[in-house]
Amino acid sequence: MKLTPEQIAEFHTYGVLIAKNALTDEDLQPVIDEISEFIDRRALELKAEGKIADLCEDEPFETRYGCLFAQSKEIGSGLDIMDYRGKAVFEFLHNKNLLDVIESLVGPEIICNPIQHLRPTPPIRYYEDGNPASHIGPLHQDAGVIMPEAEGSNIITCWLPLGDATAEMGCLEVLPGVVKGGYLRHRPQGGTSIFPEDLPAVDPVPMECYRGDLLLMSRFTPHRGMPNRSDRCRWSMDLRYHPIGQHTGRTGHPDFVVCSQRDPDSVMHDYAEWCRLWIDTFENPRGVVMHRAD
Ligand SMILES: O=C(O)CCC(=O)C(=O)O
């Protein structure tokens, strides 16, 4: 699905757009199955280590993580994209339906930026501190979590839920329409966040979305995750793409080409090589990995 000219105009005006039903169940199910296998493995390891008693095997994907998390916070260790490096996730980073939408905003020469995360956000009642106020994410622009050299890169954040992401489940909140002001100063305290005195007087808007939707944001759109007050886990991925040739903002982490009309052979489909690049990055750190405000 390509974005319509109206959707593209909306994105440029507000710095945010939800592309409804851009992905199908067939696009997402392999990723969900792979995560489920990871959770199975992790749960068995934690049981063997005596850290959990109940494997919660009868719980569906939406609730199993929370049920395990309530017993041991270690269920999430190693779950992020670059840590468990799943083949289904690697293939999803090239997903045609996803890239069709991205192409509408950055053109056909596309880099997969290395800032990419898989996030389980369990219900706050499973934390010792279940106070909603302490689970409000820091309000930031993604331009604040990259190197300043990448401020001019047209990095599009693509946040996508693997299930429901309602307001009750702590969907993202954004400040729409502040994108034209560019970079706002960030501070490291309490998680990289915009200096309160620099915040534009715009009310945050909850971006409720559902499986199949893509929430697209500019690098200048202030946003934050909210507390999950529901009984279900809010599962999401946040991926970033930008045109080939532009600075990634993280020279210490590997980026790769996912789409190129000019040089189709440059598209990286080699899963083993992707894994090798991440492992090498961790074993032989080089380059820069920082938040601009650090
Ligand atoms: O998913 C979240 O709670 C936060 C995600 C976020 O801030 C981001 O994608 O930049």
Side-chain angles (χ1 to χ4, degrees):
M1 173 184 110
K2 296 270 193 281
L3 296 177
T4 63
E6 292 73 26
Q7 285 176 307
I8 295 172
E10 183 180 334
F11 179 82
H12 289 306
T13 304
Y14 296 105
V16 60
L17 176 80
I18 296 178
K20 301 289 299 172
N21 299 313
L23 304 176
T24 65
D25 281 350
E26 291 72 47
D27 292 328
L28 291 169
Q29 200 55 47
V31 171
I32 293 170
D33 289 345
E34 190 173 80
I35 298 167
S36 302
E37 280 165 27
F38 174 94
I39 292 170
D40 263 338
R41 269 200 315 276
R42 220 32 223 125
L44 287 168
E45 281 166 14
L46 292 174
K47 182 124 193 266
E49 290 166 18
K51 294 181 174 163
I52 64 169
D54 181 0
L55 291 170
C56 310
E57 284 165 302
D58 295 333
E59 296 286 337
F61 182 67
E62 289 71 24
T63 51
R64 186 175 185 203
Y65 185 86
C67 168
L68 292 163
F69 183 84
Q71 300 173 72
S72 171
K73 307 289 173 275
E74 289 180 43
I75 187 66
S77 312
L79 179 58
D80 209 347
I81 293 179
M82 64 294 291
D83 298 321
Y84 95 87
R85 300 182 292 273
K87 191 161 196 290
V89 168
F90 174 67
E91 278 162 11
F92 182 75
L93 297 174
H94 301 76
N95 179 274
K96 169 90 173 69
N97 289 330
L98 172 65
L99 293 184
D100 274 353
V101 171
I102 299 296
E103 183 178 337
S104 307
L105 298 174
V106 306
E109 308 296 317
I110 310 176
I111 287 282
C112 181
N113 185 284
I115 308 174
Q116 49 191 226
H117 297 289
L118 169 67
R119 298 183 205 253
T121 305
I124 52 171
R125 68 188 175 91
Y126 292 136
Y127 288 86
E128 270 121 52
D129 174 5
N131 174 9
S134 37
H135 291 266
I136 299 178
L139 195 51
H140 67 283
Q141 300 170 309
D142 279 354
V145 301
I146 55 175
M147 297 159 66
E149 290 85 335
E151 186 181 320
S153 300
N154 184 18
I155 299 173
I156 304 293
T157 298
C158 179
W159 190 98
L160 60 108
L162 299 177
D164 294 348
T166 61
E168 190 200 17
M169 294 175 78
C171 66
L172 290 203
E173 276 192 355
V174 309
L175 304 193
V178 295
V179 60
K180 299 252 159 47
Y183 177 70
L184 301 165
R185 285 183 318 139
H186 286 62
R187 60 181 193 181
Q189 291 89 350
T192 301
S193 53
I194 300 166
F195 274 91
E197 61 269 34
D198 288 2
L199 273 174
V202 173
D203 289 334
V205 177
M207 291 285 120
E208 288 200 312
C209 45
Y210 301 89
R211 185 194 296 202
D213 297 346
L214 299 177
L215 169 59
L216 303 155
M217 288 182 289
S218 119
R219 64 198 181 282
F220 296 133
T221 301
H223 60 279
R224 64 182 170 203
M226 297 301 284
N228 181 357
R229 301 162 198 258
S230 80
D231 289 336
R232 294 176 291 158
C233 190
R234 161 165 82 71
W235 279 101
S236 60
M237 284 202 274
D238 44 275
L239 312 175
R240 286 154 194 82
Y241 293 92
H242 60 81
I244 293 176
Q246 297 190 354
H247 199 295
T248 66
R250 293 269 168 101
T251 55
H253 282 168
D255 58 288
F256 61 95
V257 175
V258 280
C259 185
S260 175
Q261 282 178 6
R262 218 180 290 139
D263 182 8
D265 289 346
S266 65
V267 174
M268 190 169 98
H269 289 293
D270 187 341
Y271 167 63
E273 174 62 5
W274 179 67
C275 293
R276 194 197 63 74
L277 286 170
W278 273 116
I279 293 166
D280 181 52
T281 287
F282 296 135
E283 290 181 354
N284 306 297
R286 63 183 92 82
V288 179
V289 178
M290 59 170 277
H291 286 191
R292 183 171 176 160
D294 288 348

